[in-house]
Amino acid sequence: MTKSIAIIGCGYVGGDAATALRYSGYRVTGTSRSTQGLIGIRDIVDEAFLLDISDEYFPSSFLEHQDALLVSAAPTRNGEGYESLFGKGISNLANALRNRRSSTPLQLIYISSAGIYGDCGGEMVDESTEVDCSHQVNKLLVDSEKMLLNLGRQDVISCILRLGGIYGPGRDMVSLIKQAAGSQIHKNGDDMQSWTSIVDITRAIKFALENKLRGIYNIVDDARLTRRQLSNKVCEAEGLPPVLWANTNLPGMRVSNALVSNQKIKDAGFEFSSPKMFVEVAATHF
């Protein structure tokens, strides 16, 4: 019997997952908040329609007969819409799921961010580490996770995947670093960053579906590099001047500085195909 999945937000992550899941035999329903976005996803899903979960009265009947739901919605590139999407939208979605009339089991996968660990001084963190709510964006993301993990319905299996900085086709980190060579960047170069390949994001989504994962999992690769270390490797290999990072962060900046463990998802049986961002991306270009 063909399984069905709805994907709220078919952007970079959701779109890649839609393509892979459809190829794997899923019937995929995709949504977009804009007409332009809707046109862009029609070729990669079986059914597409406009949906804005920030609308309190958004149509939720499509949730009744799904086997799975992937929530991969994101604000605009310049950061607009966090309050609308995560403050209102996820709350509206959680209410719709609580009031879902069907008792057919639903696997819910929510794409979140490892950035919510905040500034941990570069120390190791895992899924049990207390997250940072001092920055408003982090608080919104944490509240969203809590709402979807605590729906109060046994027929909804909620799984949170926390991602690092995403790289892959169209998000070539090596090229971006090369473009920044010799330039001053107003971010702390000594902050420890986490990274995730789009390939492993989609593979982790499929893994979570197949294994009915419940709870929180970090999906980050094995890179153990600060911004400065990563950019120095790239620039040295290309014979370029280094990126000139700051030694501190600007006041009020959302800071991510933690060594994020991926051991929990590995213990569940997942194997990363892209163990280190630098190795995979750099090998393509050098």
Side-chain angles (χ1 to χ4, degrees):
M1 182 177 177
T2 301
K3 290 188 175 182
S4 61
I5 185 170
I7 301 178
I8 297 179
C10 288
Y12 190 71
V13 171
D16 194 77
T19 301
L21 291 169
R22 195 180 186 200
Y23 182 81
S24 298
Y26 279 83
R27 185 181 190 280
V28 179
T29 297
T31 76
S32 176
R33 284 175 287 173
S34 69
T35 302
Q36 183 178 1
L38 188 67
I39 294 172
I41 68 173
R42 282 178 174 161
D43 290 339
I44 62 172
V45 300
D46 296 288
E47 180 182 5
F49 62 93
L50 287 171
L51 182 74
D52 186 352
I53 59 174
S54 66
D55 179 355
E56 183 178 358
Y57 302 103
F58 78 88
S60 59
S61 59
F62 72 98
L63 296 171
E64 301 296 329
H65 306 293
Q66 301 291 336
D67 296 300
L69 173 65
L70 171 63
V71 183
S72 182
T76 58
R77 283 265 182 154
N78 57 10
E80 294 176 353
Y82 273 99
E83 178 64 41
S84 176
L85 176 59
F86 298 110
K88 297 178 183 178
I90 298 301
S91 178
N92 293 339
L93 178 62
N95 286 332
L97 289 169
R98 289 190 195 98
N99 296 318
R100 180 173 173 259
R101 291 190 296 269
S102 173
S103 60
T104 301
L106 178 75
Q107 173 77 59
L108 167 64
I109 299 175
Y110 175 59
I111 301 300
S112 187
S113 169
I116 63 176
Y117 293 113
D119 186 358
C120 297
E123 296 298 316
M124 177 71 74
V125 298
D126 61 22
E127 291 83 351
S128 67
T129 301
E130 184 176 354
V131 292
D132 168 55
C133 292
S134 63
H135 194 283
Q136 179 61 16
V137 170
N138 285 348
K139 186 177 187 307
L140 288 169
L141 293 173
V142 171
D143 289 346
S144 296
E145 288 189 358
K146 290 178 178 178
M147 281 188 279
L148 296 179
L149 283 172
N150 299 288
L151 293 170
R153 293 192 57 152
Q154 293 299 313
D155 56 353
V156 179
I157 302 171
S158 298
C159 178
I160 309 295
L161 302 182
R162 291 176 178 168
L163 311 183
I166 303 170
Y167 64 93
R171 294 194 178 188
D172 179 357
M173 294 305 303
V174 168
S175 291
L176 290 175
I177 290 170
K178 285 158 63 175
Q179 291 172 20
S183 299
Q184 179 73 55
I185 305 296
H186 298 291
K187 291 183 178 181
N188 191 340
D190 297 319
D191 284 350
M192 183 67 68
Q193 304 295 285
S194 57
W195 301 95
T196 313
S197 163
I198 186 63
V199 173
D200 281 324
I201 296 171
T202 295
R203 291 180 64 251
I205 290 168
K206 292 176 67 177
F207 183 83
L209 290 170
E210 292 165 0
N211 293 277
K212 299 187 183 305
L213 294 188
R214 187 189 297 268
I216 301 171
Y217 293 85
N218 295 326
I219 310 299
V220 299
D221 67 21
D222 291 329
R224 298 289 185 264
L225 298 170
T226 64
R227 291 190 182 101
R228 198 186 314 276
Q229 289 168 336
L230 174 61
S231 64
N232 284 350
K233 280 180 175 288
V234 173
C235 292
E236 287 171 7
E238 289 289 311
L240 296 170
V243 177
L244 303 176
W245 298 99
N247 295 317
T248 58
N249 288 299
L250 295 174
M253 179 180 289
R254 183 181 175 220
V255 177
S256 177
N257 179 23
L259 191 58
V260 181
S261 170
N262 57 18
Q263 192 59 47
K264 183 178 178 181
I265 191 71
K266 288 181 177 178
D267 288 344
F270 183 75
E271 295 182 0
F272 285 82
S273 64
S274 307
K276 293 183 180 180
M277 186 273 285
F278 181 76
V279 171
E280 180 189 274
V281 178
T284 306
H285 298 272
F286 294 166

